């Protein structure tokens, strides 16, 4: 250990305040989604949402944020780095929607029993955690054989679409509230201008945005007063409910949702670890992913139905100067909100637009990193990796617009939609887009480096995953686009990828494989 390791590490750094506000706003949005979806979509009573689910979320976030802060301290002491940024952590947004819409809602429609829907949600959360924990022991191998561009391109695509674009739209929907906080963030983090008295830009942005929103009459004082009601809740163990649902027929029924969600969480967390390493913080793969699974299992045991994950955004927090303290502060703040019943009150006090500039910056940073932290000639592979995420975001926009009009893909019909856009291709590319993005980027890197046979292996991997339906498989049922498993619907992709593999393999006969770069 370097002699100055203990003196160089500090639990709180100036950038931790900015990091805290950004991660807190992101986590707060997830909590608001939980309250809205569980209350409005699942018709769950308040004592179930505020008395069981949110305290369970608090346990998982406090445990996870605490671990990743300790992990950052451990790395700092081992390497002597003055600044090591803890991995961001929170509720997985994709799994949140999947568990609500494709697990608990069908149970509720079949049984009309919100309590049963909650218990099945616990089992789904446990299943996801077990997959994440088990996958931690294989993820290191995946990381070794996968080019960095393939891991970072997926995150960059998600950052541009699901993060940056969403918050960019929020800013431009409320320009009087959102543009001035954005200017503050850009001045400090792109213009590198220090604010007076070294006040963190994130704090200034949130205070400015909140003040402008209230001053312009955009906020509701009545709603704020109504939302303030202390209702302390304590987490509890729900092992009996969890085991009852785990060994029921419902778990088998919803494995087609639980398994891909667990795998997506695992691959997404692995990509975030690569992103952190590219930014300068090399955390242990096995321990990081294992804790991710443990946090999700803890959530299920304590009443939460929502898996947790290592968040996208580490490079942005690191550029802000955040260390370990922002993670601890986020875990404590979210825990207090959940246990005191104040989630609604904070949402009524601070507009999302006040923190949107911070999260827009995070999206920009992650997208830029995919190009900056990879060889310049791998840039085409990064661009290729964007396409599946763009398809995922485009389909989300399409479905949201149709729902707002009281329609859906099934009622409008694929034939009618095909007249405006190749809807079949859009949906197929969106299904399992995390896998598709990584594989396509990886085989593109192999082609750039003239490793044609390695590219063939990646194409064969795409064929194998497509045969399971985890990539490209879909069906239209009940007004929604759902996963379709097995080769019955994906055989054209299986055949197409196999043909690509054959073409790449034959290319290997015409040119010797280079020995540089990542091998497979």
């Amino acid at each position: 250990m370097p002699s100055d390791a203990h003196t160089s590490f500090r639990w709180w750094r100036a950038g931790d305040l900015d990091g805290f506000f950004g991660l807190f706003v992101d986590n707060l949005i997830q909590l608001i989604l939980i309250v809205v979806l569980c209350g409005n979509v699942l018709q769950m009573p308040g004592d179930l949402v505020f008395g069981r689910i949110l305290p369970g979320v608090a346990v998982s976030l406090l445990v996870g944020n605490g671990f990743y802060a300790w992990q950052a301290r451990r790395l700092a002491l081992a390497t002597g780095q003055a600044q090591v940024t803890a991995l961001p952590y929170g509720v997985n947004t994709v799994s949140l929607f999947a568990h609500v819409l494709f697990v608990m809602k069908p149970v509720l429609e079949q049984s009309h029993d919100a309590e049963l829907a909650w218990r099945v949600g616990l089992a789904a959360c446990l299943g996801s955690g077990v997959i994440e924990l088990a996958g931690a022991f294989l993820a290191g191998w995946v990381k070794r054989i996968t080019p960095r561009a393939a891991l970072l391109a997926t995150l960059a695509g998600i950052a541009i679409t699901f993060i940056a674009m969403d918050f960019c739209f929020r800013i431009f929907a409320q320009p009087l509230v959102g543009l001035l906080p954005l200017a503050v963030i850009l001045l400090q983090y792109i213009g590198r201008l220090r604010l007076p008295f070294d006040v963190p830009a994130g704090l200034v942005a949130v205070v400015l945005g909140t003040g402008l929103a209230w001053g312009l009459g955009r906020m509701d004082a009545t709603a704020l007063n109504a939302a303030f009601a202390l209702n302390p809740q304590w987490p509890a163990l729900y092992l009996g409910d969890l085991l009852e649902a785990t060994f029921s027929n419902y778990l088998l029924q919803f494995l087609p949702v639980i398994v891909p969600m667990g795998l997506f969480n695992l691959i997404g967390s692995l990509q975030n670890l690569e992103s952190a390493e590219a930014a300068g913080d090399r955390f242990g793969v096995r321990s990081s992913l294992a804790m991710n699974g443990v946090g999700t299992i803890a959530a299920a045991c304590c009443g939460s139905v929502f898996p947790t994950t290592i968040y996208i955004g580490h490079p942005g927090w690191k550029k802000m100067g955040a260390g370990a303290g922002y993670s601890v502060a986020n875990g404590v703040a979210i825990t207090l909100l959940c246990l005191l019943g104040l989630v609604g009150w904070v949402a009524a006090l601070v507009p999302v637009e006040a923190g949107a500039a911070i999260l827009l910056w995070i999206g920009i940073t992650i997208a830029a990193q995919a190009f900056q932290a990879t060889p310049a000639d791998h840039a085409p592979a990064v661009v290729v990796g964007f396409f599946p995420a763009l398809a995922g975001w485009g389909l989300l926009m399409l479905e949201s617009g149709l729902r707002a009009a009281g329609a859906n893909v099934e009622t409008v019909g694929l034939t009618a939609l095909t007249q405006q856009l190749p809807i079949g291709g859009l949906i197929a590319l969106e299904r399992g887009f995390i896998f598709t993005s990584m594989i396509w980027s990886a085989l593109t890197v192999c082609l750039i480096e003239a490793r044609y046979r390695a590219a063939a292996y990646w194409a064969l991997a795409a064929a194998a995953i497509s045969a399971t339906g985890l990539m490209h498989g879909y069906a239209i049922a009940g007004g929604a686009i759902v996963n379709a498993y097995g080769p019955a619907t994906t055989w054209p992709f299986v055949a197409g990828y196999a043909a690509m593999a054959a073409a790449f393999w034959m290319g290997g006969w015409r040119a010797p494989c280079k020995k540089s770069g990542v091998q497979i």
Side-chain angles (χ1 to χ4, degrees), residues 492-520:
F493 292 99
V494 177
Y497 282 128
M500 289 180 67
F504 295 154
W505 186 267
M506 286 188 290
W509 290 103
R510 295 183 58 83
C513 294
K514 292 183 179 179
K515 300 300 181 183
S516 62
V518 179
Q519 300 296 317
I520 182 172

Side-chain angles (χ1 to χ4, degrees), residues 461-472 484-488 490-491 493-494 497:
I465 297 175
S466 296
T468 68
L470 289 174
M471 281 169 49
H472 310 313
Y485 298 100
T490 59
W491 68 265
F493 292 99
V494 177
Y497 282 128

Side-chain angles (χ1 to χ4, degrees), residues 1 34 36 44 72 93 105 142 165 198 329 341 350 363-364 370 431 441 468 516:
M1 180 185 298
I34 288 171
V36 170
M44 287 183 172
T93 308
K105 186 180 179 184
V142 175
M165 290 303 294
D198 286 330
V350 180
I364 293 170
R431 297 286 99 173
S441 292
T468 68
S516 62

Side-chain angles (χ1 to χ4, degrees), residues 223-494:
L224 179 66
N225 292 331
F228 187 80
L230 289 176
N231 184 24
Q233 303 286 342
W234 294 102
L237 289 174
Y238 298 96
L239 299 181
D241 297 287
L242 178 59
L243 292 174
E244 179 184 343
T246 300
F247 294 101
S248 70
N249 292 330
Y250 281 108
L251 186 65
L252 292 175
Q253 179 182 345
F254 294 109
L255 277 179
V257 177
I258 297 168
V259 171
M261 284 299 102
L263 291 174
F264 289 167
N265 290 351
L266 177 66
I267 295 298
S269 295
L270 178 62
Q271 291 162 341
N272 285 320
L273 279 173
E274 183 70 17
S275 177
E277 183 175 331
D281 293 338
R282 185 172 187 174
F283 296 105
V285 174
R286 182 174 297 180
S287 59
S288 299
L289 296 180
M291 186 60 217
N292 192 22
V294 169
T296 296
I297 293 171
C301 292
C302 294
S304 172
V305 294
F306 302 113
T308 54
T309 191
I310 299 172
Y311 265 6
I312 192 171
H314 172 278
W317 309 132
K318 190 170 183 68
K319 281 192 175 182
M320 286 181 171
Y326 89 106
S327 183
V328 175
N330 177 75
V332 171
I334 293 296
T335 297
L336 289 176
L337 289 183
C338 290
L339 298 186
L340 295 178
L342 292 177
V343 173
W345 181 75
V346 173
L349 174 66
V350 180
V352 173
E353 291 76 17
I358 301 174
L359 295 168
L360 175 59
W361 158 250
I362 295 299
I364 293 170
T365 301
I366 295 166
Q369 183 199 46
F371 293 98
Q372 295 167 345
T374 55
D377 60 348
H378 289 185
V382 175
V383 175
V384 167
F386 281 14
F387 296 149
L390 289 168
W393 181 74
L395 184 61
L396 175 65
M397 295 296 101
L398 173 63
E399 289 190 291
S400 299
L402 291 176
R403 282 197 297 270
N408 55 57
V409 172
E410 186 175 37
T411 57
V412 174
L414 292 183
T415 302
L417 289 170
T418 301
Q419 295 177 5
Q420 302 299 320
L421 76 162
I423 184 67
L426 179 68
I427 299 172
L429 189 56
E430 181 270 346
R431 297 286 99 173
F433 72 85
I434 290 179
F435 292 126
T436 309
S437 177
M438 186 171 71
I439 290 173
W440 272 90
S441 292
L443 69 83
T444 303
V445 168
C446 293
L447 293 174
I448 290 170
E449 297 180 345
R451 294 187 290 117
Y452 304 110
R453 293 177 185 175
Y457 292 139
W458 281 109
L460 288 176
I465 297 175
S466 296
T468 68
L470 289 174
M471 281 169 49
H472 310 313
Y474 73 92
I476 311 295
I481 301 168
V482 298
N483 292 331
Y485 298 100
T489 60
T490 59
W491 68 265
F493 292 99
V494 177

